[in-house]
Amino acid sequence: MSISLAEKYIKQVQSGEKLVCEYVRLAIKRHNDDLITAPERGFYFDKKAAEKVFAFFSLVNHCPDKVKWVPFQCQDWQAFIVYVAFGWKKANGSRRFNYVYTEIAKKNGKTTFAAIIATYLLFFDGENEAEVYCAATVEKQARLCFDMTKRIIQKSPALAPPRSTILTKNISILSTASKMEPLGRDSDSIEGANPSGSIIDEYHVWKNNEVFDNLRSGAVNRRQPFFFIITTAGFDKTLPCFGYRSFCLDVLKGIKQQDDLFPIIFTIDEGDDWKDPANWFKANPNYLVSVRQDALSREFASALNDPRQEVNFKTKHLNLWVDAPEVWIKDKKILGCNYGTTDDDLIGQQCYAGLDLASHVDINALALLFPNVNGRAVARLFFWIPEAKVIEKQDRVDYRTWQRDGFINVTSGDVIDIDQMTSQLSTILGNYECLGLAYDPAKAYHGVIQNLQKEGLEDILHEFSQGIRTMSEPTRMLEKLVTSNEIDLMHNPVLRWMFSNVQTWTDGNDNIKADKGRSREKIDGVVALINAVGEWQTRIYTVDATMSGTIEFVSM
């Protein structure tokens, strides 16, 4: 029955009878194209393999109304995902797709769907000693999908004990020596995992890929490992999910090819009127099933009256990646400020520098502003952190990758090695014609400043107050440079992350200052860059004696 449901869904999308977004149409087109071309690449489609999963669904009970447990009824969009994900095979008979990325709006039953897929992988995937993990960055989050799976098994007589054994953090099948567990980076079993199946739930909140990478490396000896990645859109485009989503879109569009990845994304299309309920179905294929019309209408009414709720509605209920309203400069603008300037292009060029010196256990940043390189301003950023900060992972970002890619300097030990940082900083400054370096006078005690003075650089060191009156003009200038795409930020992912954390606050005189609205997040690189802009502005202010000492700003 579900085979015909999936095939009907394909036909309805193709004919236009079923309202879907471009990305769903592309997923269906890719499947249809593969029916013609994939055999040349060693793949074939096996309906019986998909039928096996659909047959399993008949054994499963779920609780859609939170009251009564009833047999699971597969929806047409779910049937299509199962049809493709489990129907395609490699020449050796193993599953073609190892990664399935499903992005869909909130309340469309994705966690229940993921739990049912996890249950199938545990019971009927043909794996002896199967290991299935419900994964998240921390175990507490991972328990959400795992606990749902436990309840489904307990309420499904064909799966419940004694066929299975259910413990607090373990479900096991003695006959096949198989198990399912929740898994986060704080779990005891993370290093020894050998997953045959993994659920990556709500990927948009994952701060790094540590757990995901452990699962992938642990699955290398499995014949057909299966990673089911299911999520709603998020606010933070610097986290791993958005980058993975971008790659998925390239695969759907045919720009890139990865034969073991099947992505499908439910959202509204660019140009759609988000206020028109007729478009909501594109992001909510379970509209009027698990997504209640009255509840969605209430959320929409709130969105019309509150910009913050509008962003939340678009993100959670229309599955759009929308910047939070308090973000100072939108991520799209940051990404637009990249023009291919290289380090070699900057050697010997005039620049102005800004330092943001944090504590000896936190991030220290140097920003170099080159006012004119081939007709455009350029910002080159350098960062230092102690090794302990990389290990502790409290900032929930992937410092290790940034270190590997050359965007962050890591000094040994629990605190910044001041001598090492100063040596590197002096070498950096020696590569350019630095006309001035601004730093917070409150940090004059910092060992870096003292060391630079000892090295004979006192002539370029200038105190730059961090008060709102002093910081306002360079903050506005940086905003202008970025929003008008007049500066090259050189594809720096650390700076991009820090821009996403910046809010601004304004005093009664309309002065503004960059602020860290979320206390755990970092904005050091942005502050250093504002200092550099301030140093540049200070150096190009001139006093015109013929105008009675009026201070005039000379722009670029």
Side-chain angles (χ1 to χ4, degrees):
M1 176 180 176
S2 293
I3 288 284
S4 60
L5 187 63
E7 292 175 342
K8 180 181 178 182
Y9 182 78
I10 292 171
K11 291 178 180 178
Q12 287 181 326
V13 169
Q14 288 179 304
S15 69
E17 182 181 350
K18 179 74 68 174
L19 184 64
V20 299
C21 69
E22 174 193 5
Y23 303 144
V24 174
R25 289 194 297 272
L26 286 174
I28 287 176
K29 181 180 185 301
R30 183 183 183 222
H31 167 71
N32 286 332
D33 289 347
D34 279 350
L35 291 173
I36 299 171
T37 63
E40 298 174 0
R41 306 196 304 276
F43 305 112
Y44 66 96
F45 191 71
D46 181 5
K47 287 187 180 182
K48 290 184 178 180
E51 285 175 349
K52 179 183 175 183
V53 184
F54 291 131
F56 162 77
F57 286 169
S58 67
L59 305 177
V60 175
N61 290 331
H62 73 137
C63 188
D65 61 358
K66 311 299 182 185
V67 177
K68 185 178 180 181
W69 287 82
V70 296
F72 176 67
Q73 296 293 321
C74 189
Q75 300 301 309
D76 55 3
W77 63 274
Q78 295 170 325
F80 171 68
I81 292 172
V82 170
Y83 184 72
V84 173
F86 290 90
W88 277 102
K89 296 285 188 177
K90 298 177 183 176
N92 64 6
S94 63
R95 202 165 27 238
R96 167 189 170 179
F97 289 116
N98 303 120
Y99 300 91
V100 175
Y101 178 85
T102 302
E103 190 182 286
I104 192 169
K106 191 177 180 180
K107 297 299 181 182
N108 279 270
K110 63 182 181 300
T111 300
T112 297
F113 188 38
I116 292 171
I117 295 296
T119 305
Y120 171 81
L121 295 172
L122 177 67
F123 280 86
F124 291 109
D125 203 31
E127 290 277 340
N128 283 316
E129 300 183 22
E131 292 184 24
V132 181
Y133 294 98
C134 297
T137 50
V138 294
E139 189 177 292
K140 182 179 180 180
Q141 177 69 32
R143 288 285 299 271
L144 297 177
C145 182
F146 177 77
D147 288 346
M148 173 68 75
T149 308
K150 282 204 308 184
R151 292 194 295 274
I152 286 172
I153 293 173
Q154 289 168 332
K155 295 294 185 177
S156 302
L159 310 175
R163 182 166 189 175
S164 57
T165 300
I166 301 176
L167 304 176
T168 302
K169 295 197 291 185
N170 175 275
I171 304 168
S172 59
I173 312 297
L174 295 179
S175 60
T176 58
S178 298
K179 69 175 183 178
M180 181 189 299
E181 295 177 349
L183 186 72
R185 62 179 172 83
D186 54 341
S187 300
D188 295 334
S189 57
I190 185 170
E191 294 298 334
N194 179 26
S196 55
S198 302
I199 306 299
I200 310 297
D201 194 18
E202 295 295 12
Y203 190 32
H204 75 277
V205 301
W206 287 43
K207 301 302 180 182
N208 58 60
N209 272 335
E210 179 185 357
V211 175
F212 200 172
D213 289 342
N214 268 290
L215 289 169
R216 282 188 283 202
S217 61
V220 293
N221 293 325
R222 290 289 186 176
R223 188 174 75 99
Q224 52 176 15
F226 191 78
F227 292 85
F228 192 48
I229 307 158
I230 192 158
T231 188
T232 299
F235 299 109
D236 194 339
K237 297 177 183 177
T238 68
L239 298 183
C241 183
F242 189 75
Y244 194 85
R245 177 191 196 265
S246 298
F247 176 72
C248 288
L249 291 180
D250 284 345
V251 171
L252 285 174
K253 293 174 182 178
I255 299 171
K256 296 178 181 177
Q257 181 171 317
Q258 183 166 329
D259 282 323
D260 65 350
L261 168 65
F262 168 48
I264 187 167
I265 296 172
F266 299 87
T267 184
I268 65 173
D269 288 303
E270 185 175 353
D272 281 347
D273 181 0
W274 71 275
K275 298 177 182 178
D276 185 353
N279 291 319
W280 297 352
F281 183 81
K282 293 182 178 181
N284 296 273
N286 256 23
Y287 192 44
L288 305 182
V289 180
S290 63
V291 180
R292 293 175 50 185
Q293 184 178 16
D294 59 339
L296 199 56
S297 295
R298 284 197 304 270
E299 294 292 317
F300 174 63
S302 297
L304 290 177
N305 298 316
D306 183 346
R308 188 178 301 273
Q309 292 303 318
E310 177 183 328
V311 170
N312 189 68
F313 182 84
K314 289 178 178 178
T315 303
K316 298 306 178 186
H317 298 295
L318 299 182
N319 202 42
L320 294 169
W321 287 79
V322 182
D323 291 311
E326 68 270 14
V327 172
W328 175 37
I329 300 175
K330 301 299 185 185
D331 186 66
K332 184 177 181 179
K333 288 294 184 181
I334 305 300
L335 288 176
C337 290
N338 294 293
Y339 296 97
T341 304
T342 67
D343 286 341
D344 290 342
D345 295 330
L346 303 178
I347 299 299
Q349 299 275 2
Q350 288 188 348
C351 68
Y352 300 86
L355 266 177
D356 186 68
L357 297 171
S359 70
H360 292 175
V361 297
D362 216 332
I363 303 174
N364 289 258
L366 169 71
L368 302 181
L369 176 72
F370 298 83
N372 191 339
V373 178
N374 298 323
R376 178 178 287 110
V378 177
R380 177 68 168 96
L381 273 291
F382 301 85
F383 299 93
W384 288 266
I385 57 173
E387 177 68 22
K389 193 164 189 67
V390 178
I391 296 171
E392 72 183 16
K393 302 183 179 72
Q394 288 186 4
D395 289 343
R396 303 175 296 173
V397 291
D398 196 353
Y399 287 128
R400 185 66 73 191
T401 296
W402 288 339
Q403 177 193 14
R404 182 197 66 201
D405 295 342
F407 292 106
I408 281 185
N409 300 293
V410 177
T411 69
S412 58
D414 294 337
V415 298
I416 289 284
D417 185 323
I418 295 300
D419 291 337
Q420 182 181 341
M421 177 180 168
T422 304
S423 175
Q424 292 174 342
L425 204 159
S426 298
T427 300
I428 290 166
L429 293 175
N431 290 327
Y432 318 102
E433 185 183 349
C434 184
L435 303 179
L437 186 154
Y439 68 93
D440 180 0
K443 300 291 177 65
Y445 67 87
H446 201 291
V448 170
I449 298 298
Q450 295 171 348
N451 282 0
L452 290 176
Q453 291 170 336
K454 291 177 183 177
E455 292 193 13
L457 296 175
E458 62 268 17
D459 288 344
I460 67 168
L461 296 175
H462 302 120
E463 295 184 351
F464 194 80
S465 171
Q466 304 295 286
I468 190 169
R469 291 182 62 187
T470 308
M471 296 291 281
S472 182
E473 183 59 37
T475 301
R476 291 191 186 280
M477 174 55 73
L478 179 58
E479 182 178 49
K480 173 184 178 296
L481 290 171
V482 174
T483 56
S484 59
N485 299 118
E486 296 175 14
I487 188 171
D488 192 341
L489 300 179
M490 297 183 69
H491 282 289
N492 190 304
V494 188
L495 183 61
R496 180 188 176 194
W497 166 57
M498 290 179 175
F499 263 113
S500 75
N501 298 327
V502 175
Q503 301 175 26
T504 58
W505 63 279
T506 306
D507 67 9
N509 296 314
D510 203 32
N511 294 310
I512 68 168
K513 183 180 179 181
D515 188 39
K516 184 170 58 175
R518 291 169 285 180
S519 60
R520 293 186 61 179
E521 307 296 0
K522 307 299 178 185
I523 65 171
D524 310 76
V526 177
V527 173
L529 185 52
I530 292 171
N531 286 343
V533 173
E535 178 69 11
W536 166 62
Q537 289 180 318
T538 301
R539 296 308 120 198
I540 62 175
Y541 272 111
T542 60
V543 177
D544 187 341
T546 65
M547 297 180 65
S548 304
T550 301
I551 294 181
E552 177 186 6
F553 176 65
V554 182
S555 61
M556 288 174 58

